[in-house]
Amino acid sequence: MEQFPQIALVVTAIFVLMSIPMAIAVGVRRTKTGISLLHGEDESLLRLMRAHGNFIEYVPLALLALAGAEIAGTAPWLVAACGAVLLLARLIHYFSLSTSVNGKGRAVGAALTTLAMLVLALAILWQLWIGN
């Protein structure tokens, strides 16, 4: 039987479950404000939209890197650690951005996301290098 990137699939499922309440929060705010497009002048809606949007911008590429590293043969502990860091980073970033414009959590979440993606990219390249 073909081996699937199980760690990446678990992390993907968790990210999908995380994205649902984010989208719902935007929809609920839209309903409360009556703003159906863009954000009007509602700062809360704008923060919720950007928090969800930033999640949607970074998570797909991070998941590709996670799955790629796992498929390439990166040590499972490293793949799992990067997946855990990504989950923590995106939670920190989301809650910081959705509640405050100047939250320090945004920078922490962004830095952890970038670090995990860098490690995963290097792990893929390393696996490809040593495999040839």
Side-chain angles (χ1 to χ4, degrees):
M1 185 164 129
E2 188 176 332
Q3 182 65 29
F4 294 101
Q6 295 177 356
I7 297 167
L9 290 173
V10 168
V11 174
T12 298
I14 293 168
F15 273 128
V16 169
L17 292 172
M18 287 170 58
S19 74
I20 294 167
M22 292 179 191
I24 290 171
V26 173
V28 166
R29 187 67 188 170
R30 285 190 180 287
T31 300
K32 284 182 180 177
T33 61
I35 301 169
S36 61
L37 186 63
L38 300 175
H39 65 87
E41 297 298 320
D42 190 88
E43 289 297 319
S44 179
L45 178 56
L46 177 59
R47 283 194 309 275
L48 289 170
M49 288 171 55
R50 282 311 312 139
H52 182 240
N54 189 278
F55 183 90
I56 296 303
E57 290 165 1
Y58 281 90
V59 168
L61 188 57
L63 290 174
L64 284 172
L66 193 70
E70 190 171 1
I71 291 166
T74 300
W77 69 266
L78 183 56
V79 174
C82 286
V85 169
L86 284 167
L87 287 166
L88 178 64
R90 299 322 305 166
L91 282 170
I92 291 169
H93 189 276
Y94 175 79
F95 285 112
S96 178
L97 183 55
S98 65
T99 59
S100 170
V101 175
N102 299 318
K104 290 183 168 82
R106 285 180 62 200
V108 172
L112 288 173
T113 298
T114 301
L115 176 64
M117 291 175 70
L118 176 63
V119 169
L120 290 166
L122 293 173
I124 292 168
L125 293 172
W126 176 255
Q127 290 300 320
L128 293 173
W129 177 266
I130 66 170
N132 290 326

